[in-house]
Amino acid sequence: MRTSSSRRTPGPARRTALAAVAALTAGAALLTGCGGDGGDAAEDGKITLRVGTFGSFGYDNKTGAKLYAEYEKTHPNIKIVESNVADGQKYWDTLKLRLSRNSGLADIQAIEVGYIAEATGSAMADKWVDLSKTGGADMGAFLDWKVKQATTADGKVIALGTDIGPMAICYNKELFAKAKLPTDRVEVGRLWADDWGKFLETGKTYQKNAPAGTFFHDSASGLFNAVVNSDPQQYADSSGELAWETSPGVKQAWNTAVAAAQGGLTAKLRQFDEKGTWNAAFKNSKFATVACPSWMTGIIKDQAGAANQGKWDIAAPPVAGNWGGSFLAVPKSGKHAKEAAELAAWLTAPEQHAKVFAVNGNIPSTRDTLTSPAVVGAKLPYFGDTPVGQIYAAAAAEIKPAPISRWDGQVKTFLTDNGILDIEQRGTDPAKAWENVKKLIEDKIDQ
C-alpha cells in the first residue's frame, strides 16, 4: 500500500499544535482496541494474531482476497484479527506511541514507505524482529530496492514488502464524455503525455464543459503527491539527508498543485478524511480524475460502489512514478513473534501477492510476480476490459526509487495539510503557506 499515504495520506496538520494530545488520545483509544501486547491464546488453545493496517491491504475476508481465512484453514491453531485505520498519519503516530511504551502493539504492524527510513533508524531498529532470519521469507523473491528500504544499518531486515505504487490516472469516462473529452484510455493518456502542465490544461478544458457541481480532479494535495512521486528527487538528497526546500520534485509538485487549486480544477477534498467526504464524492461522481497508484483501484471499487462499476477507466500518467507501497513488520515485544513472522512471510509471498492483486489491484513487490502472466494479463472486474495489469506492470518497470529520509512522511504531511490544503480550502497565499510549512518543519522536526 498504501499509501498513506501515503495509502494513505496523513491527517490534517492544521491541528499540529494539538498533535501531541491527539496522538496520545488516539493512541489510548487504539491501545484499548488492540486487546493487550500482541497476540494472545484463547481458552481453546488457539493463538490470536493481531494485524495492524491502514488503508486497503486486500487481505481481509470481506472485500479482500480472503487470505486470513485461507491461512486459518491450514493453521487451525491460529485466529487472525485485523485492526484497520483509514488515516495513515494517525496510524503511524499511534504506532510510534505504542513502540515507545512496548504496549498495545499488534503482532504484525504495517509500515508505509514514507516512514520506513524512520522505522529502520537508530531509534527504532531494535524494536523489530529480523525477518531475514525468522519466519522463513524468501528475501531473494523481493525487488532489491524494496528489501534495501527495510534494511537497518547493521543489516537486519525489519519488514517485508507488500506492494509498490506505480502510478496511472484513473478517470470517470461518463464525466469525460459529458465534458466533451475523449474516453478511450490511449487517447486520454495522450492528452497529458510527458507533461504535468498538459494535465492542468486538460483540466481547464474539462471545467469549461463540466457537468454542474463536478471538478476535474479530486484534491490538490493528491496531485502534489503524484507529481512529487514522479521525480527522482523528492524530500531527501542522495545521502538520505532532508533537502525538501531545494528539491526540484517538491518545487514542481508545489507549483502544479497550487495552480490546480487556484484554477478551480479540484473538488477541494482531503483524501481519506475522517468524515468520509472524499469517499462519498467517489460514489456521487463529484470529480473526473484521481491520481491513481495501483492501490487506489481498490479504493475506487470500494467507495464508488456497484452503481458506478464500468464508469471508471485507467490511463497512463503524465510521468511515471511510484506513490506509496508498504511493508509488514513484527515487533519484538509480541507474545507470538515467531508465529507472526511466519504469517507475515506467507502474506507477502509471491503467491499471495498475486491473489491480492487479482482482487484489490495492489501491485506486488516480488520480482517474478510483478512480471508474471497472472499480473501482466490481469483485469479487474470493476474496470471492465481495462488491461490493468499491463498498465501497472509497464509503469512499475519505469520506477526509479528516490532517496528517502526518516522525515519524509512528516514533511509530506506539513506540505500537503498545512500548505496545499490551506491554499485550496482557505485561500491562503501560496508564499505565506510555504513559510508556514517551513516554520513547522524547523520547529517540529529534530534534524
Side-chain angles (χ1 to χ4, degrees):
M1 168 54 18
R2 336 153 216 306
T3 215
S4 224
S5 353
S6 322
R7 167 180 295 103
R8 307 163 173 174
T9 45
R14 196 173 219 346
R15 299 193 295 270
T16 301
L18 302 176
V21 175
L24 289 170
T25 303
L30 290 172
L31 290 171
T32 303
C34 208
D37 301 330
D40 52 87
E43 291 182 2
D44 59 5
K46 282 192 174 185
I47 293 172
T48 298
L49 294 180
R50 302 183 184 278
V51 182
T53 64
F54 54 91
S56 177
F57 277 72
Y59 301 147
D60 65 278
N61 300 328
K62 186 176 180 181
T63 62
K66 300 179 173 57
L67 295 189
Y68 296 145
E70 182 179 346
Y71 194 81
E72 289 170 342
K73 187 175 181 180
T74 58
H75 297 74
N77 64 318
I78 300 290
K79 178 182 178 182
I80 303 169
V81 177
E82 180 180 273
S83 175
N84 180 269
V85 177
D87 191 308
Q89 180 65 51
K90 288 189 175 180
Y91 169 90
W92 179 246
D93 290 342
T94 303
L95 176 54
K96 288 202 295 183
L97 178 64
R98 293 172 174 173
L99 284 169
S100 69
R101 294 178 173 179
N102 278 330
S103 175
L105 290 157
D107 298 280
I108 295 174
Q109 296 280 179
I111 301 174
E112 203 267 343
V113 67
Y115 303 102
I116 194 64
E118 187 172 2
T120 58
S122 58
M124 292 189 190
D126 290 335
K127 298 283 188 180
W128 312 100
V129 171
D130 182 354
L131 295 176
S132 68
K133 297 180 178 179
T134 305
D138 178 6
M139 306 309 300
F142 296 93
L143 294 166
D144 292 341
W145 58 266
K146 192 75 171 178
V147 176
K148 184 178 180 181
Q149 287 177 334
T151 302
T152 64
D154 58 355
K156 294 193 291 288
V157 180
I158 62 104
L160 303 175
T162 57
D163 59 331
I164 56 178
M167 285 194 303
I169 298 292
C170 289
Y171 65 100
N172 187 308
K173 292 185 290 186
E174 188 175 84
L175 292 181
F176 263 48
K178 291 180 179 178
K180 301 178 182 179
L181 288 170
T183 58
D184 175 79
R185 68 185 69 92
V186 175
E187 292 183 32
V188 169
R190 287 175 183 151
L191 291 173
W192 49 65
D194 304 318
D195 190 345
W196 285 106
K198 291 179 182 177
F199 186 75
L200 296 179
E201 290 303 315
T202 303
K204 294 176 184 177
T205 301
Y206 176 88
Q207 293 301 154
K208 289 178 182 177
N209 303 297
T214 72
F215 297 87
F216 177 63
H217 203 61
D218 67 319
S219 157
S221 294
L223 181 58
F224 174 91
N225 284 323
V227 178
V228 76
N229 283 303
S230 68
D231 197 278
Q233 185 178 338
Q234 298 168 18
Y235 307 103
D237 61 23
S238 59
S239 64
E241 294 299 317
L242 196 59
W244 70 276
E245 283 188 85
T246 57
S247 164
V250 169
K251 287 185 177 180
Q252 183 188 18
W254 178 272
N255 292 337
T256 303
V258 168
Q262 294 188 321
L265 306 185
T266 74
K268 300 183 179 180
L269 298 170
R270 177 181 164 265
Q271 294 183 332
F272 308 100
D273 69 300
E274 293 176 334
K275 295 181 180 179
T277 307
W278 182 64
N279 291 341
F282 276 110
K283 193 177 298 293
N284 298 324
S285 298
K286 292 296 184 181
F287 53 83
T289 66
V290 60
C292 208
S294 49
W295 46 261
M296 187 69 78
T297 60
I299 292 172
I300 293 172
K301 177 194 69 173
D302 293 342
Q303 302 306 331
N308 290 302
Q309 182 166 344
K311 292 183 181 180
W312 283 86
D313 209 329
I314 307 172
V319 183
N322 186 77
W323 176 4
S326 298
F327 302 81
L328 296 183
V330 175
K332 281 184 178 178
S333 60
K335 293 179 180 178
H336 303 290
K338 177 178 178 294
E339 290 83 358
E342 290 171 352
L343 173 58
W346 185 85
L347 288 171
T348 57
E351 297 82 4
Q352 279 59 256
H353 276 177
K355 294 169 188 174
V356 170
F357 173 74
V359 173
N360 220 51
N362 294 12
I363 287 288
S365 60
T366 43
R367 186 183 297 103
D368 290 345
T369 318
L370 183 59
T371 58
S372 69
V375 170
V376 176
K379 297 179 180 180
L380 297 176
Y382 194 84
F383 291 84
D385 66 351
T386 304
V388 178
Q390 181 181 327
I391 291 169
Y392 283 113
E398 296 186 40
I399 291 174
K400 296 178 177 63
I404 56 176
S405 78
R406 67 184 182 92
W407 304 280
D408 282 14
Q410 293 171 277
V411 172
K412 178 178 71 173
T413 298
F414 290 136
L415 281 164
T416 55
D417 289 0
N418 282 83
I420 299 298
L421 198 65
D422 274 1
I423 296 168
E424 184 178 38
Q425 294 189 350
R426 302 173 187 92
T428 303
D429 178 75
K432 181 179 179 181
W434 182 268
E435 288 303 312
N436 290 343
V437 169
K438 184 177 178 180
K439 187 175 188 304
L440 281 168
I441 292 174
E442 290 172 349
D443 290 347
K444 301 295 182 181
I445 293 181
D446 180 21
Q447 300 182 51

PDB file of all heavy atoms in Angstrom, residues 76-100:
ATOM      1  N   PRO A  76      -5.011 -24.408  11.860  1.00  0.00           N
ATOM      2  CA  PRO A  76      -6.204 -24.415  12.726  1.00  0.00           C
ATOM      3  C   PRO A  76      -5.967 -23.887  14.139  1.00  0.00           C
ATOM      4  O   PRO A  76      -6.924 -23.598  14.853  1.00  0.00           O
ATOM      5  CB  PRO A  76      -6.609 -25.895  12.747  1.00  0.00           C
ATOM      6  CG  PRO A  76      -5.391 -26.643  12.327  1.00  0.00           C
ATOM      7  CD  PRO A  76      -4.657 -25.756  11.384  1.00  0.00           C
ATOM      8  N   ASN A  77      -4.693 -23.743  14.520  1.00  0.00           N
ATOM      9  CA  ASN A  77      -4.402 -23.191  15.850  1.00  0.00           C
ATOM     10  C   ASN A  77      -4.291 -21.668  15.844  1.00  0.00           C
ATOM     11  O   ASN A  77      -4.049 -21.059  16.890  1.00  0.00           O
ATOM     12  CB  ASN A  77      -3.094 -23.772  16.381  1.00  0.00           C
ATOM     13  CG  ASN A  77      -1.896 -23.361  15.530  1.00  0.00           C
ATOM     14  OD1 ASN A  77      -1.987 -23.364  14.301  1.00  0.00           O
ATOM     15  ND2 ASN A  77      -0.784 -23.007  16.166  1.00  0.00           N
ATOM     16  N   ILE A  78      -4.481 -21.046  14.663  1.00  0.00           N
ATOM     17  CA  ILE A  78      -4.315 -19.596  14.521  1.00  0.00           C
ATOM     18  C   ILE A  78      -5.646 -18.922  14.218  1.00  0.00           C
ATOM     19  O   ILE A  78      -6.404 -19.359  13.356  1.00  0.00           O
ATOM     20  CB  ILE A  78      -3.326 -19.255  13.384  1.00  0.00           C
ATOM     21  CG1 ILE A  78      -1.943 -19.864  13.657  1.00  0.00           C
ATOM     22  CG2 ILE A  78      -3.224 -17.756  13.174  1.00  0.00           C
ATOM     23  CD1 ILE A  78      -1.197 -19.231  14.789  1.00  0.00           C
ATOM     24  N   LYS A  79      -5.900 -17.828  14.913  1.00  0.00           N
ATOM     25  CA  LYS A  79      -7.013 -16.937  14.594  1.00  0.00           C
ATOM     26  C   LYS A  79      -6.410 -15.560  14.302  1.00  0.00           C
ATOM     27  O   LYS A  79      -5.559 -15.076  15.063  1.00  0.00           O
ATOM     28  CB  LYS A  79      -7.991 -16.835  15.765  1.00  0.00           C
ATOM     29  CG  LYS A  79      -9.147 -15.869  15.512  1.00  0.00           C
ATOM     30  CD  LYS A  79     -10.051 -15.759  16.722  1.00  0.00           C
ATOM     31  CE  LYS A  79     -11.176 -14.764  16.479  1.00  0.00           C
ATOM     32  NZ  LYS A  79     -12.051 -14.600  17.680  1.00  0.00           N
ATOM     33  N   ILE A  80      -6.847 -14.938  13.205  1.00  0.00           N
ATOM     34  CA  ILE A  80      -6.284 -13.651  12.796  1.00  0.00           C
ATOM     35  C   ILE A  80      -7.332 -12.555  12.942  1.00  0.00           C
ATOM     36  O   ILE A  80      -8.470 -12.696  12.475  1.00  0.00           O
ATOM     37  CB  ILE A  80      -5.793 -13.709  11.335  1.00  0.00           C
ATOM     38  CG1 ILE A  80      -4.763 -14.831  11.160  1.00  0.00           C
ATOM     39  CG2 ILE A  80      -5.180 -12.370  10.925  1.00  0.00           C
ATOM     40  CD1 ILE A  80      -4.427 -15.127   9.716  1.00  0.00           C
ATOM     41  N   VAL A  81      -6.931 -11.466  13.562  1.00  0.00           N
ATOM     42  CA  VAL A  81      -7.813 -10.306  13.739  1.00  0.00           C
ATOM     43  C   VAL A  81      -7.095  -9.078  13.197  1.00  0.00           C
ATOM     44  O   VAL A  81      -5.986  -8.756  13.636  1.00  0.00           O
ATOM     45  CB  VAL A  81      -8.185 -10.092  15.222  1.00  0.00           C
ATOM     46  CG1 VAL A  81      -9.042  -8.834  15.372  1.00  0.00           C
ATOM     47  CG2 VAL A  81      -8.908 -11.305  15.778  1.00  0.00           C
ATOM     48  N   GLU A  82      -7.712  -8.414  12.238  1.00  0.00           N
ATOM     49  CA  GLU A  82      -7.111  -7.204  11.671  1.00  0.00           C
ATOM     50  C   GLU A  82      -7.744  -5.962  12.275  1.00  0.00           C
ATOM     51  O   GLU A  82      -8.957  -5.868  12.408  1.00  0.00           O
ATOM     52  CB  GLU A  82      -7.296  -7.164  10.147  1.00  0.00           C
ATOM     53  CG  GLU A  82      -6.678  -5.914   9.514  1.00  0.00           C
ATOM     54  CD  GLU A  82      -6.851  -5.854   8.007  1.00  0.00           C
ATOM     55  OE1 GLU A  82      -6.011  -6.415   7.289  1.00  0.00           O
ATOM     56  OE2 GLU A  82      -7.853  -5.257   7.550  1.00  0.00           O
ATOM     57  N   SER A  83      -6.888  -5.001  12.648  1.00  0.00           N
ATOM     58  CA  SER A  83      -7.340  -3.682  13.102  1.00  0.00           C
ATOM     59  C   SER A  83      -6.901  -2.678  12.057  1.00  0.00           C
ATOM     60  O   SER A  83      -5.706  -2.504  11.824  1.00  0.00           O
ATOM     61  CB  SER A  83      -6.720  -3.348  14.460  1.00  0.00           C
ATOM     62  OG  SER A  83      -7.058  -2.029  14.846  1.00  0.00           O
ATOM     63  N   ASN A  84      -7.864  -2.023  11.413  1.00  0.00           N
ATOM     64  CA  ASN A  84      -7.564  -1.150  10.287  1.00  0.00           C
ATOM     65  C   ASN A  84      -7.916   0.294  10.602  1.00  0.00           C
ATOM     66  O   ASN A  84      -8.969   0.579  11.164  1.00  0.00           O
ATOM     67  CB  ASN A  84      -8.325  -1.615   9.037  1.00  0.00           C
ATOM     68  CG  ASN A  84      -8.039  -0.742   7.835  1.00  0.00           C
ATOM     69  OD1 ASN A  84      -8.740   0.222   7.583  1.00  0.00           O
ATOM     70  ND2 ASN A  84      -7.000  -1.084   7.101  1.00  0.00           N
ATOM     71  N   VAL A  85      -6.996   1.202  10.249  1.00  0.00           N
ATOM     72  CA  VAL A  85      -7.200   2.637  10.430  1.00  0.00           C
ATOM     73  C   VAL A  85      -7.130   3.295   9.059  1.00  0.00           C
ATOM     74  O   VAL A  85      -6.206   3.030   8.287  1.00  0.00           O
ATOM     75  CB  VAL A  85      -6.119   3.233  11.359  1.00  0.00           C
ATOM     76  CG1 VAL A  85      -6.286   4.739  11.495  1.00  0.00           C
ATOM     77  CG2 VAL A  85      -6.178   2.573  12.735  1.00  0.00           C
ATOM     78  N   ALA A  86      -8.082   4.147   8.737  1.00  0.00           N
ATOM     79  CA  ALA A  86      -8.107   4.767   7.413  1.00  0.00           C
ATOM     80  C   ALA A  86      -6.988   5.785   7.236  1.00  0.00           C
ATOM     81  O   ALA A  86      -6.383   5.880   6.175  1.00  0.00           O
ATOM     82  CB  ALA A  86      -9.467   5.429   7.173  1.00  0.00           C
ATOM     83  N   ASP A  87      -6.710   6.551   8.276  1.00  0.00           N
ATOM     84  CA  ASP A  87      -5.764   7.663   8.191  1.00  0.00           C
ATOM     85  C   ASP A  87      -4.349   7.182   8.470  1.00  0.00           C
ATOM     86  O   ASP A  87      -4.006   6.808   9.603  1.00  0.00           O
ATOM     87  CB  ASP A  87      -6.178   8.742   9.188  1.00  0.00           C
ATOM     88  CG  ASP A  87      -5.419  10.036   8.987  1.00  0.00           C
ATOM     89  OD1 ASP A  87      -4.168   9.990   8.946  1.00  0.00           O
ATOM     90  OD2 ASP A  87      -6.059  11.089   8.863  1.00  0.00           O
ATOM     91  N   GLY A  88      -3.493   7.188   7.456  1.00  0.00           N
ATOM     92  CA  GLY A  88      -2.140   6.667   7.596  1.00  0.00           C
ATOM     93  C   GLY A  88      -1.279   7.437   8.577  1.00  0.00           C
ATOM     94  O   GLY A  88      -0.444   6.849   9.264  1.00  0.00           O
ATOM     95  N   GLN A  89      -1.445   8.765   8.652  1.00  0.00           N
ATOM     96  CA  GLN A  89      -0.633   9.545   9.575  1.00  0.00           C
ATOM     97  C   GLN A  89      -1.001   9.233  11.017  1.00  0.00           C
ATOM     98  O   GLN A  89      -0.133   9.049  11.877  1.00  0.00           O
ATOM     99  CB  GLN A  89      -0.809  11.039   9.310  1.00  0.00           C
ATOM    100  CG  GLN A  89       0.022  11.929  10.234  1.00  0.00           C
ATOM    101  CD  GLN A  89       1.519  11.770  10.025  1.00  0.00           C
ATOM    102  OE1 GLN A  89       1.995  11.858   8.909  1.00  0.00           O
ATOM    103  NE2 GLN A  89       2.258  11.541  11.093  1.00  0.00           N
ATOM    104  N   LYS A  90      -2.286   9.162  11.303  1.00  0.00           N
ATOM    105  CA  LYS A  90      -2.708   8.847  12.673  1.00  0.00           C
ATOM    106  C   LYS A  90      -2.274   7.431  13.060  1.00  0.00           C
ATOM    107  O   LYS A  90      -1.902   7.168  14.202  1.00  0.00           O
ATOM    108  CB  LYS A  90      -4.216   9.013  12.809  1.00  0.00           C
ATOM    109  CG  LYS A  90      -4.642  10.466  12.787  1.00  0.00           C
ATOM    110  CD  LYS A  90      -6.094  10.640  13.131  1.00  0.00           C
ATOM    111  CE  LYS A  90      -6.439  12.126  13.206  1.00  0.00           C
ATOM    112  NZ  LYS A  90      -7.853  12.358  13.534  1.00  0.00           N
ATOM    113  N   TYR A  91      -2.336   6.529  12.083  1.00  0.00           N
ATOM    114  CA  TYR A  91      -1.870   5.165  12.329  1.00  0.00           C
ATOM    115  C   TYR A  91      -0.404   5.188  12.762  1.00  0.00           C
ATOM    116  O   TYR A  91      -0.022   4.552  13.750  1.00  0.00           O
ATOM    117  CB  TYR A  91      -2.046   4.332  11.056  1.00  0.00           C
ATOM    118  CG  TYR A  91      -1.351   2.980  11.110  1.00  0.00           C
ATOM    119  CD1 TYR A  91      -2.009   1.861  11.594  1.00  0.00           C
ATOM    120  CD2 TYR A  91      -0.032   2.844  10.683  1.00  0.00           C
ATOM    121  CE1 TYR A  91      -1.369   0.630  11.655  1.00  0.00           C
ATOM    122  CE2 TYR A  91       0.619   1.627  10.740  1.00  0.00           C
ATOM    123  CZ  TYR A  91      -0.059   0.514  11.230  1.00  0.00           C
ATOM    124  OH  TYR A  91       0.591  -0.687  11.296  1.00  0.00           O
ATOM    125  N   TRP A  92       0.428   5.915  12.024  1.00  0.00           N
ATOM    126  CA  TRP A  92       1.852   5.952  12.326  1.00  0.00           C
ATOM    127  C   TRP A  92       2.129   6.637  13.657  1.00  0.00           C
ATOM    128  O   TRP A  92       2.956   6.178  14.450  1.00  0.00           O
ATOM    129  CB  TRP A  92       2.618   6.638  11.201  1.00  0.00           C
ATOM    130  CG  TRP A  92       4.094   6.734  11.457  1.00  0.00           C
ATOM    131  CD1 TRP A  92       4.824   7.862  11.657  1.00  0.00           C
ATOM    132  CD2 TRP A  92       5.026   5.651  11.546  1.00  0.00           C
ATOM    133  NE1 TRP A  92       6.147   7.562  11.859  1.00  0.00           N
ATOM    134  CE2 TRP A  92       6.303   6.203  11.802  1.00  0.00           C
ATOM    135  CE3 TRP A  92       4.897   4.266  11.439  1.00  0.00           C
ATOM    136  CZ2 TRP A  92       7.437   5.417  11.945  1.00  0.00           C
ATOM    137  CZ3 TRP A  92       6.040   3.482  11.582  1.00  0.00           C
ATOM    138  CH2 TRP A  92       7.278   4.060  11.834  1.00  0.00           C
ATOM    139  N   ASP A  93       1.443   7.734  13.933  1.00  0.00           N
ATOM    140  CA  ASP A  93       1.624   8.421  15.211  1.00  0.00           C
ATOM    141  C   ASP A  93       1.309   7.492  16.380  1.00  0.00           C
ATOM    142  O   ASP A  93       2.020   7.456  17.386  1.00  0.00           O
ATOM    143  CB  ASP A  93       0.729   9.667  15.286  1.00  0.00           C
ATOM    144  CG  ASP A  93       1.189  10.778  14.355  1.00  0.00           C
ATOM    145  OD1 ASP A  93       2.359  10.747  13.914  1.00  0.00           O
ATOM    146  OD2 ASP A  93       0.363  11.666  14.051  1.00  0.00           O
ATOM    147  N   THR A  94       0.230   6.733  16.245  1.00  0.00           N
ATOM    148  CA  THR A  94      -0.161   5.811  17.303  1.00  0.00           C
ATOM    149  C   THR A  94       0.832   4.657  17.413  1.00  0.00           C
ATOM    150  O   THR A  94       1.169   4.222  18.522  1.00  0.00           O
ATOM    151  CB  THR A  94      -1.583   5.261  17.043  1.00  0.00           C
ATOM    152  OG1 THR A  94      -2.488   6.365  16.949  1.00  0.00           O
ATOM    153  CG2 THR A  94      -2.035   4.360  18.165  1.00  0.00           C
ATOM    154  N   LEU A  95       1.306   4.166  16.280  1.00  0.00           N
ATOM    155  CA  LEU A  95       2.271   3.075  16.299  1.00  0.00           C
ATOM    156  C   LEU A  95       3.557   3.505  17.015  1.00  0.00           C
ATOM    157  O   LEU A  95       4.126   2.746  17.814  1.00  0.00           O
ATOM    158  CB  LEU A  95       2.581   2.615  14.874  1.00  0.00           C
ATOM    159  CG  LEU A  95       3.654   1.534  14.708  1.00  0.00           C
ATOM    160  CD1 LEU A  95       3.353   0.318  15.570  1.00  0.00           C
ATOM    161  CD2 LEU A  95       3.789   1.137  13.247  1.00  0.00           C
ATOM    162  N   LYS A  96       4.016   4.720  16.756  1.00  0.00           N
ATOM    163  CA  LYS A  96       5.214   5.209  17.441  1.00  0.00           C
ATOM    164  C   LYS A  96       4.993   5.285  18.951  1.00  0.00           C
ATOM    165  O   LYS A  96       5.892   4.967  19.737  1.00  0.00           O
ATOM    166  CB  LYS A  96       5.622   6.574  16.889  1.00  0.00           C
ATOM    167  CG  LYS A  96       6.219   6.523  15.500  1.00  0.00           C
ATOM    168  CD  LYS A  96       7.072   7.741  15.200  1.00  0.00           C
ATOM    169  CE  LYS A  96       6.245   9.008  15.159  1.00  0.00           C
ATOM    170  NZ  LYS A  96       7.097  10.175  14.780  1.00  0.00           N
ATOM    171  N   LEU A  97       3.805   5.717  19.351  1.00  0.00           N
ATOM    172  CA  LEU A  97       3.483   5.781  20.771  1.00  0.00           C
ATOM    173  C   LEU A  97       3.513   4.385  21.383  1.00  0.00           C
ATOM    174  O   LEU A  97       4.067   4.158  22.462  1.00  0.00           O
ATOM    175  CB  LEU A  97       2.100   6.413  20.957  1.00  0.00           C
ATOM    176  CG  LEU A  97       1.579   6.505  22.392  1.00  0.00           C
ATOM    177  CD1 LEU A  97       2.460   7.419  23.219  1.00  0.00           C
ATOM    178  CD2 LEU A  97       0.135   6.988  22.397  1.00  0.00           C
ATOM    179  N   ARG A  98       2.940   3.417  20.686  1.00  0.00           N
ATOM    180  CA  ARG A  98       2.934   2.039  21.177  1.00  0.00           C
ATOM    181  C   ARG A  98       4.354   1.495  21.304  1.00  0.00           C
ATOM    182  O   ARG A  98       4.693   0.809  22.272  1.00  0.00           O
ATOM    183  CB  ARG A  98       2.134   1.146  20.219  1.00  0.00           C
ATOM    184  CG  ARG A  98       0.647   1.429  20.172  1.00  0.00           C
ATOM    185  CD  ARG A  98       0.021   0.618  19.042  1.00  0.00           C
ATOM    186  NE  ARG A  98      -1.428   0.747  19.029  1.00  0.00           N
ATOM    187  CZ  ARG A  98      -2.203   0.264  18.071  1.00  0.00           C
ATOM    188  NH1 ARG A  98      -1.649  -0.359  17.025  1.00  0.00           N
ATOM    189  NH2 ARG A  98      -3.505   0.394  18.130  1.00  0.00           N
ATOM    190  N   LEU A  99       5.182   1.788  20.291  1.00  0.00           N
ATOM    191  CA  LEU A  99       6.562   1.301  20.327  1.00  0.00           C
ATOM    192  C   LEU A  99       7.322   1.889  21.507  1.00  0.00           C
ATOM    193  O   LEU A  99       8.113   1.204  22.160  1.00  0.00           O
ATOM    194  CB  LEU A  99       7.275   1.657  19.026  1.00  0.00           C
ATOM    195  CG  LEU A  99       6.935   0.815  17.795  1.00  0.00           C
ATOM    196  CD1 LEU A  99       7.503   1.463  16.542  1.00  0.00           C
ATOM    197  CD2 LEU A  99       7.458  -0.610  17.939  1.00  0.00           C
ATOM    198  N   SER A 100       7.086   3.165  21.789  1.00  0.00           N
ATOM    199  CA  SER A 100       7.794   3.801  22.900  1.00  0.00           C
ATOM    200  C   SER A 100       7.390   3.189  24.236  1.00  0.00           C
ATOM    201  O   SER A 100       8.177   3.172  25.188  1.00  0.00           O
ATOM    202  CB  SER A 100       7.513   5.311  22.912  1.00  0.00           C
ATOM    203  OG  SER A 100       6.168   5.585  23.263  1.00  0.00           O
TER     204      SER A 100
END
